[in-house]
Amino acid sequence: MSFILSTKLEDPQFSGQTKERLSSRESAAFVAGVIKDNFSLWLNQHPETGDLIAQLAIAKAQARLKAAKKVVRKKIVSGPTLPGKLADCRSQEAELCELFLVEGDSAGGSAKQARDRNTQAIMPLRGKILNTWEVETAEILASAEVHDISVAIGVDPGSDDISGLRYHKICILADADSDGLHIATLLCALFLRHFRELVLAGHIYVAMPPLYRIDVGREVFYALDEGERKGILDRIEAEKKKGKVTVTRFKGLGEMNPDQLRETTMHRDTRRLVQLTITARDKTDQLMDMLLAKKRSKDRRNWLEIKGNLAEV
Amino acid sequence: MQNSLNLEGVEQQALKEFTEQAYLDYSMYVILDRALPQIGDGLKPVQRRIIYAMSELGLSATSKPKKSARTVGDVIGKFHPHGDSACYEAMVLMAQNFSYRYPLVIGQGNWGSTDDPKSFAAMRYTESRLAAYAKSLLQELGQGTVDWAPNFDGTLTEPVVLPARLPNLLLNGTTGIAVGMSTDVPPHNLNEVASALIHLIDNPKATVSQLMKHIKGPDYPTGGELVSPASDIKEIYTTGSGTLRLRASYKMEGSDIVITSLPHQISGAKLQEQIATQMRNRKLPQVDDLRDESDHEDPTRLVISKKRGVDVDQLMSHLFSTTSLERTLRVNMNIIGLDGRPRRFNLVEMLKEWLQFRKDTVKNRLSHRLQIVSDRLHVLDGLLVAYLSIDAVIAIIRKQDTPKPVLMKHFKLSDIQAEAILNLRLRNLAKLEEIKIKAEQHDLNEERDLLQKTLKSATRLKTLIKNEILEDAESYGDDRRTIIVEREAAQALDETQLVASEPVTVVLSQAGYARAAKGHEIDPSTLNYRSGDTFLAAAQGRSNQQAMFVDSTGRVYSVMAGTLPSARGQGEPLSSRFKPPDGAAFCGAMIGTIEQKYLLASDAGYGFVATLGDLVSRNKAGKSILRVPPGGMAIVPAPVPEKTECLIAAVSSIGRLLLFEMDELPELAKGKGNKLINIPAKKYRSGEEKMVAVAVVPEDGCLQVHTDTRMMTIKWHDLDDYYGDRALRGSMLPQGWRKVERLVGLSQRTD
């Protein structure tokens, strides 16, 4: 859309040598004064054309906003464009890098100390993230947490292009309690819906924190699973350690010291990391819709009635 | 969890399986351990833990209150490993006498107000202790009544449920949202529930209707009126779900309406805002003023002063329907039953299930007491034996290395009895002790017999439960606060009734800007217009009538005249209210009652008389009424006076004026109409000639002819010069008056 506007004024001032822009201040006020009434009259007689003009302006504005949000691949000077809470890793090789999305600031702190700073980046998430299952891809960036995740991994939501991916392993690290499970579900929904390519390419992992905590006297052990729990108990017996042995379900990441966290969940050799996969025909989307869609409360109720007894609380 | 490994040794799991299990675990946790209450004590885990922790801190109803932060710290540190703010909020809710029908906590300090329930002070400022009513939950705790479970880290134990002596769930109600289900139980009156329980104990087969003789309906802490019909309430109690309508109650003081109580969880401040918004938008002309006169004596006192002669019932009915003076409350009684499974209960099931719980609790309590009594009796038997031969006992103790087995053998004592004898203090050997023991034995024997009898007899157990319920009702019960009345459904007043009826002149500008000037005396052409815009048409009517606008394509749009902006500004573009086709311009304005008639015409010389009632439409795109030939447009419609004898005047662009009898023109609802004045088709198509204006002149009236700059009035008897049959060419106006812009028909002669 273009206009030709003819005005005559004394002593005009232009900016730049090629005189491509008029910079006389009074001209804008003058032109606006003359045009505004007439143009508004015309717009009101041609509402449909007016709509088109407004849409053009809106589309341009959105494109500008989007351009402002776009993140450049990390360079040495471009540090501040990354979200403030992200503790980035030193390596630039995306294939080796891992990003841990950690539940809660309190666990984020110890995870930061427990990581291998060469290849492991930590991003703490505060509280539960937005349920993005039924949110348009264009709108999810309004949520600060989702925006930070998107900026940190270097992939725009909804895009097929994952060449900008900054970490080839994105690990969900949440507490083993109920709220941690909820956060893991919400993150899965986010990736499945808006970063599908990442899931298809197998970049999404879940870090499995230990299931059991074993207290013997003053010592504390963590067991990743049933087998390891037995192993530890046997060892305790063999070494004839003193003290009452209590085995409890492990709850929060925050209760471990950084070195324990490192050994049990983050170190490459001793951790348990599970890659999440989808196949074309396993009806993942239908299941997620049933779990997270606003209008399917009834279906959820039925599902709970059938499978409620399978829960491990 | 059996996960596969891929070729590189990376453990894999389908995202579907992972999320399903994760969400399932989360859902079941939220349902069972967070959002839904347990039927026995009607508490959610966080509430139970707060109350238990407070009782452990010694914060009984008679003690001095302690800082809330200490309680919260104990709760989250010992039993409830979650956020402190959520825990404190749960505690605040239990202390607010407008949130809980029977508050469990008594607070010292700012615990929030009805206007903003979340305005409570931080937990480091406030202090709290348990209310007397909480005793009904805690009283029997140490008496072996309920199961105990280890806390989250296994270092302490906490009760699984509190041994409630009253059905707290029904008394205080609850709300909660879980996954796949939510719960809303309304609060009830203690005296009513107690009497229903007694009825149910005596008649285990009682029906909902029988119980409803005792429980009339929910009883909210903030009072108000429950206006749902009895059948609705019964339906809710029969099925366990439904909706209730709760209304504010008001009284008259002089001519003022005084609102004395609000529906549950409605903030007075928000309500005032709602009413004030309506007043600001001129949608509530019946109300003069609105004041909040709440103070310590009347916690809720909103005064609405109405205008004179306004019907109070109608006004309140309007306010009930458009503001939160009336609200609906959902009821959905999803509760965790005694079997640990969540399901929906109706009233009878709920009371029965609770009675079962109560019976078990009482039985446990009695058995526990019986055990203690029997143990003591056993010890007393042993002590008595020892006293009867005290010298032999002393000799054994003094001479034997291990006196206990010898004692046991010698006197045929049990281990416990022997231990008790060995633990005797020397001073207890006095002669008096024997009498004491015998007396105690006697008392305990009596108690044991009574306990055994009660445990064996269902009737005695029932009577005991009944008496205890009555006793508690006596100490905690109070009068009903919510009045149950059936009332007609509230009705919002029609928009036309709300707008004051004042005379207005609707003014339309050439560019399609409309406004409504007050009064009929204004001269619309002297108003202020945007540059490039001028006056086009005006119509006189009242502010509660529909103003209608016709556009160049013959579509008619309607809007309430009262909603148009005032004439002080430059008006509002009609295209912001309507959706006319692109390029269409507004050509004329009409206003009047639905019986008012207007002459609609196009510039091709065709037109008809229409009744406004036929033209009204709520559609933003208007209603197609007048068929206009392509390239042509509608012209300003002329109002038809109520007199039947009228002449129609039509003038063409070359200055030919024709007057004919209105009877010659049909009345239509839509269409092209009939020819008014003859415009040769050829000249019309070429744009040489068209019709420019029409007017209706009542008998004995006159006709004003406006040109660009001048105006003349043609008197009734002079109109004969232009009189003719319909569809004639008409006669030429005098020189200099042929460029006619407007015609106005007037009823009386003006000089």
Side-chain angles (χ1 to χ4, degrees):
Chain A
M1 193 173 64
S2 35
F3 301 94
I4 295 173
L5 188 72
S6 147
T7 70
K8 291 175 182 149
L9 68 160
E10 284 177 1
D11 193 16
Q13 286 184 334
F14 296 94
S15 69
Q17 278 208 313
T18 49
K19 304 206 186 317
E20 56 187 13
R21 200 161 69 86
L22 182 70
S23 66
S24 304
R25 279 181 178 222
E26 67 279 8
S27 69
F30 175 73
V31 171
V34 173
I35 296 226
K36 193 186 160 212
D37 273 0
N38 276 314
F39 191 49
S40 68
L41 292 180
W42 185 87
L43 279 180
N44 279 309
Q45 269 168 24
H46 301 84
E48 282 167 34
T49 325
D51 259 5
L52 286 178
I53 297 175
Q55 264 162 23
L56 186 77
I58 293 169
K60 286 258 168 77
Q62 275 172 343
R64 264 199 315 279
L65 280 181
K66 216 174 164 189
K69 252 183 216 162
K70 209 162 194 178
V71 198
V72 222
R73 169 120 175 98
K74 191 177 84 170
K75 292 178 204 125
I76 300 151
V77 272
S78 67
T81 54
L82 290 170
K85 286 188 296 175
L86 173 72
D88 208 355
C89 56
R90 211 158 64 176
S91 169
Q92 299 273 340
E93 289 171 63
E95 293 78 30
L96 295 179
C97 291
E98 299 173 348
L99 173 68
F100 283 84
L101 300 171
V102 186
E103 170 193 357
D105 278 337
S106 45
S110 55
K112 202 165 153 186
Q113 292 173 41
R115 68 180 172 146
D116 167 7
R117 70 186 140 86
N118 283 320
T119 56
Q120 293 182 325
I122 305 292
M123 169 108 162
L125 304 172
R126 271 209 70 193
K128 296 187 178 176
I129 67 160
L130 179 79
N131 179 358
T132 54
W133 187 251
E134 289 176 310
V135 183
E136 288 297 313
T137 300
E139 285 162 29
I140 60 164
L141 289 178
S143 152
E145 298 285 344
V146 176
H147 177 244
D148 286 356
I149 294 173
S150 157
V151 170
I153 61 180
V155 175
D156 277 338
S159 87
D160 293 343
D161 174 26
I162 57 166
S163 58
L165 185 65
R166 304 179 59 238
Y167 311 93
H168 274 209
K169 281 189 179 140
I170 296 166
C171 313
I172 300 168
L173 178 55
D175 291 349
D177 65 0
S178 55
D179 292 308
L181 291 168
H182 192 207
I183 289 172
T185 322
L186 293 172
L187 281 170
C188 284
L190 171 71
F191 289 122
L192 189 69
R193 186 105 224 189
H194 303 288
F195 299 93
R196 203 179 183 89
E197 287 300 312
L198 295 182
V199 187
L200 288 172
H203 290 307
I204 306 295
Y205 293 79
V206 183
M208 295 285 176
L211 278 182
Y212 301 99
R213 169 189 161 132
I214 300 158
D215 287 86
V216 188
R218 287 191 187 165
E219 280 182 278
V220 181
F221 300 95
Y222 291 95
L224 278 184
D225 51 27
E226 191 66 22
E228 195 169 325
R229 182 181 75 110
K230 271 193 194 132
I232 290 175
L233 288 178
D234 291 349
R235 202 174 78 215
I236 290 169
E237 210 170 313
E239 291 176 11
K240 296 208 171 67
K241 287 204 168 137
K242 280 178 195 160
K244 196 177 145 212
V245 181
T246 49
V247 180
T248 44
R249 280 293 289 263
F250 166 79
K251 294 282 179 193
L253 294 166
E255 71 180 45
M256 278 194 280
N257 288 334
D259 53 330
Q260 291 170 328
L261 187 64
R262 176 190 179 82
E263 197 179 316
T264 54
T265 35
M266 298 193 67
H267 195 272
R268 280 163 195 276
D269 300 333
T270 50
R271 70 183 173 194
R272 194 170 151 225
L273 203 57
V274 178
Q275 187 179 39
L276 294 181
T277 56
I278 52 170
T279 48
R281 265 180 293 171
D282 66 358
K283 295 186 178 167
T284 307
D285 290 282
Q286 281 96 313
L287 178 90
M288 293 295 275
D289 197 58
M290 190 271 287
L291 294 182
L292 294 166
K294 281 200 182 85
K295 288 191 177 161
R296 298 193 55 185
S297 179
K298 267 215 177 102
D299 296 330
R300 278 196 283 280
R301 194 182 173 126
N302 292 338
W303 169 70
L304 285 170
E305 274 165 11
I306 297 166
K307 298 205 172 175
N309 54 337
L310 300 175
E312 299 168 14
V313 180
Chain B
M1 241 184 288
Q2 206 63 45
N3 296 331
S4 57
L5 295 179
N6 75 355
L7 293 175
E8 288 126 47
V10 177
E11 201 175 336
Q12 285 183 325
Q13 188 182 8
L15 186 138
K16 181 187 164 190
E17 278 169 37
F18 172 76
T19 43
E20 181 169 18
Q21 186 63 40
Y23 206 71
L24 184 66
D25 291 355
Y26 168 72
S27 311
M28 291 314 285
Y29 173 82
V30 170
I31 290 171
L32 297 176
D33 268 342
R34 183 173 295 173
L36 298 194
Q38 211 268 2
I39 191 153
D41 54 8
L43 299 173
K44 300 178 193 175
V46 63
Q47 298 169 328
R48 187 177 303 123
R49 285 162 173 166
I50 289 171
I51 290 169
Y52 176 62
M54 284 180 87
S55 80
E56 288 292 280
L57 276 169
L59 291 170
S60 70
T62 46
S63 67
K64 196 174 166 294
K66 275 186 187 149
K67 279 271 179 271
S68 305
R70 281 193 65 186
T71 310
V72 172
D74 255 37
V75 174
I76 62 178
K78 287 180 172 169
F79 311 110
H80 197 68
H82 297 277
D84 55 344
S85 56
C87 174
Y88 181 49
E89 273 179 38
M91 178 166 146
V92 168
L93 213 62
M94 291 196 289
Q96 291 176 334
N97 59 5
F98 49 86
S99 298
Y100 262 53
R101 182 67 181 81
Y102 298 95
L104 290 159
V105 177
I106 303 264
Q108 156 75 38
N110 172 14
W111 287 74
S113 68
T114 39
D115 277 349
D116 183 4
K118 298 229 166 176
S119 64
F120 49 85
M123 61 179 165
R124 60 180 181 279
Y125 299 117
T126 61
E127 296 179 353
S128 55
R129 60 182 161 84
L130 287 169
Y133 170 73
K135 214 178 147 196
S136 76
L137 296 173
L138 292 162
Q139 199 173 340
E140 298 173 0
L141 191 58
Q143 303 174 5
T145 43
V146 289
D147 293 338
W148 294 68
N151 72 336
F152 60 90
D153 62 1
T155 52
L156 296 162
T157 53
E158 56 174 327
V160 173
V161 58
L162 294 179
R165 287 164 63 96
L166 290 167
N168 180 48
L169 179 59
L170 264 182
L171 300 182
N172 270 323
T174 192
T175 59
I177 300 166
V179 179
M181 61 182 78
S182 64
T183 181
D184 288 277
V185 182
H188 287 81
N189 184 283
L190 204 165
N191 288 334
E192 289 180 12
V193 172
S195 103
L197 279 172
I198 285 163
H199 180 85
L200 190 63
I201 294 173
D202 293 336
N203 311 286
K205 285 182 183 161
T207 61
V208 172
S209 342
Q210 282 164 339
L211 289 178
M212 273 186 70
K213 284 192 186 128
H214 303 272
I215 300 180
K216 304 274 190 309
D219 186 23
Y220 289 92
T222 45
E225 285 181 355
L226 190 68
V227 292
S228 302
S231 59
D232 277 16
I233 302 178
K234 190 177 171 191
E235 181 71 17
I236 287 172
Y237 284 146
T238 319
T239 60
S241 76
T243 52
L244 291 167
R245 285 190 300 128
L246 199 61
R247 245 182 217 187
S249 36
Y250 66 94
K251 60 180 182 193
M252 298 300 298
E253 274 180 17
S255 67
D256 287 346
I257 303 168
V258 180
I259 293 166
T260 50
S261 73
L262 295 174
H264 194 43
Q265 288 167 335
I266 293 295
S267 129
K270 289 234 178 77
L271 183 77
Q272 263 185 295
E273 229 175 85
Q274 288 178 337
I275 300 180
T277 315
Q278 284 200 22
M279 285 168 69
R280 263 202 307 280
N281 294 345
R282 292 186 290 171
K283 294 215 166 141
L284 212 53
Q286 301 96 321
V287 175
D288 255 343
D289 193 17
L290 174 70
R291 290 186 307 275
D292 187 353
E293 295 184 352
S294 311
D295 59 10
H296 61 284
E297 279 170 7
D298 309 284
T300 310
R301 189 181 155 86
L302 286 177
V303 181
I304 300 174
S305 45
K306 62 179 182 65
K307 284 201 177 128
R308 263 162 193 274
V310 170
D311 184 31
V312 176
D313 290 336
Q314 221 175 38
L315 172 63
M316 287 312 286
S317 175
H318 172 72
L319 288 176
F320 283 138
S321 112
T322 55
T323 66
S324 38
L325 273 178
E326 178 180 313
R327 70 170 301 202
T328 55
L329 287 152
R330 250 171 349 122
V331 177
N332 193 4
M333 305 204 273
N334 276 319
I335 304 155
I336 299 174
L338 292 180
D339 56 357
R341 284 168 170 273
R343 69 183 173 91
R344 185 188 287 161
F345 283 77
N346 69 21
L347 185 69
V348 180
E349 290 168 337
M350 192 138 84
L351 290 174
K352 273 193 184 153
E353 187 102 343
W354 184 81
L355 275 181
Q356 184 58 45
F357 168 78
R358 183 69 196 142
K359 217 182 196 169
D360 294 346
T361 312
V362 171
K363 265 191 190 161
N364 284 345
R365 188 184 83 207
L366 297 182
S367 321
H368 183 76
R369 180 69 196 159
L370 184 63
Q371 188 61 45
I372 291 173
V373 168
S374 314
D375 286 353
R376 182 67 188 161
L377 279 173
H378 181 65
V379 170
L380 286 178
D381 284 344
L383 288 181
L384 205 60
V385 172
Y387 278 117
L388 291 177
S389 43
I390 189 72
D391 293 336
V393 172
I394 292 174
I396 290 172
I397 295 173
R398 276 180 64 88
K399 282 172 195 160
Q400 298 293 329
D401 291 339
T402 50
K404 201 163 137 189
V406 184
L407 274 177
M408 283 167 68
K409 202 174 165 199
H410 200 272
F411 297 103
K412 292 186 182 146
L413 294 174
S414 73
D415 188 65
I416 298 168
Q417 286 171 324
E419 190 69 32
I421 292 169
L422 287 172
N423 279 339
L424 275 178
R425 281 190 235 163
L426 286 177
R427 68 159 58 155
N428 292 9
L429 299 181
K431 174 79 178 154
L432 198 64
E433 285 298 313
E434 194 188 324
I435 300 160
K436 265 195 182 172
I437 290 171
K438 287 231 163 115
E440 195 184 341
Q441 232 176 3
H442 178 73
D443 289 348
L444 288 180
N445 268 323
E446 271 184 11
E447 189 179 343
R448 182 176 62 182
D449 293 346
L450 189 68
L451 285 171
Q452 276 168 344
K453 264 194 225 159
T454 317
L455 277 170
K456 270 182 202 148
S457 146
T459 332
R460 273 171 188 269
L461 199 63
K462 272 185 187 175
T463 317
L464 178 65
I465 293 174
K466 263 200 308 201
N467 288 340
E468 282 179 355
I469 290 172
L470 282 174
E471 199 180 296
D472 285 349
E474 183 74 19
S475 34
Y476 310 119
D478 56 6
D479 291 336
R480 165 172 274 287
R481 295 186 194 165
T482 302
I483 308 157
I484 298 179
V485 273
E486 261 184 59
R487 296 214 196 263
E488 275 175 36
Q491 200 131 58
L493 290 180
D494 200 354
E495 217 175 327
T496 47
Q497 284 172 281
L498 286 172
V499 177
S501 167
E502 302 163 328
V504 289
T505 306
V506 175
V507 180
L508 177 68
S509 82
Q510 201 86 45
Y513 280 66
R515 47 190 140 167
K518 275 198 181 140
H520 285 167
E521 285 77 40
I522 61 136
D523 180 3
S525 54
T526 60
L527 290 172
N528 182 19
Y529 292 90
R530 250 160 239 269
S531 66
D533 194 6
T534 59
F535 168 71
L536 175 68
Q540 296 178 339
R542 301 193 78 80
S543 56
N544 58 352
Q545 293 171 336
Q546 293 276 333
M548 289 183 229
F549 301 93
V550 58
D551 77 359
S552 53
T553 63
R555 301 185 79 85
V556 174
Y557 310 84
S558 16
V559 64
M560 282 300 300
T563 65
L564 289 172
S566 88
R568 239 170 272 149
Q570 292 176 326
E572 188 185 295
L574 284 177
S575 52
S576 69
R577 289 179 184 246
F578 308 127
K579 285 227 174 306
D582 209 16
F586 287 94
C587 294
M590 298 174 276
I591 187 170
T593 60
I594 49 169
E595 293 96 29
Q596 171 75 44
K597 289 175 182 153
Y598 263 86
L599 170 61
L600 291 169
S602 69
D603 63 356
Y606 287 81
F608 58 89
V609 171
T611 309
L612 283 191
D614 292 333
L615 310 183
V616 183
S617 75
R618 291 201 176 272
N619 204 335
K620 278 187 104 180
K623 191 172 178 186
S624 173
I625 301 291
L626 180 70
R627 190 134 39 83
V628 178
M633 58 191 289
I635 60 173
V636 181
V640 178
E642 273 168 41
K643 277 193 201 167
T644 42
E645 293 293 316
C646 290
L647 291 182
I648 287 177
V651 65
S652 71
S653 57
I654 57 164
R656 282 183 182 275
L657 176 65
L658 174 69
L659 280 108
F660 60 90
E661 295 289 341
M662 201 177 81
D663 301 343
E664 292 188 55
L665 203 62
E667 278 188 27
L668 298 174
K670 63 188 292 184
K672 183 183 177 188
N674 289 20
K675 192 180 271 187
L676 306 180
I677 186 169
N678 186 17
I679 310 268
K682 226 178 190 176
K683 289 194 173 170
Y684 178 70
R685 270 197 298 274
S686 66
E688 272 174 76
E689 191 182 339
K690 56 184 182 180
M691 186 164 80
V692 285
V694 288
V696 182
V697 187
E699 194 177 1
D700 256 358
C702 56
L703 181 70
Q704 277 184 350
V705 179
H706 293 255
T707 67
D708 194 12
T709 50
R710 296 191 293 167
M711 183 270 278
M712 74 164 168
T713 308
I714 305 175
K715 288 179 179 150
W716 180 252
H717 56 263
D718 295 333
L719 288 174
D720 280 352
D721 300 346
Y722 306 98
Y723 185 82
D725 280 338
R726 184 176 68 77
L728 290 181
R729 276 295 268 157
S731 315
M732 290 298 276
L733 282 160
Q735 277 286 346
W737 292 97
R738 289 176 184 165
K739 288 263 171 268
V740 177
E741 293 231 313
R742 281 194 287 143
L743 292 178
V744 180
L746 293 173
S747 56
Q748 76 273 29
R749 271 169 245 219
T750 46
D751 294 311

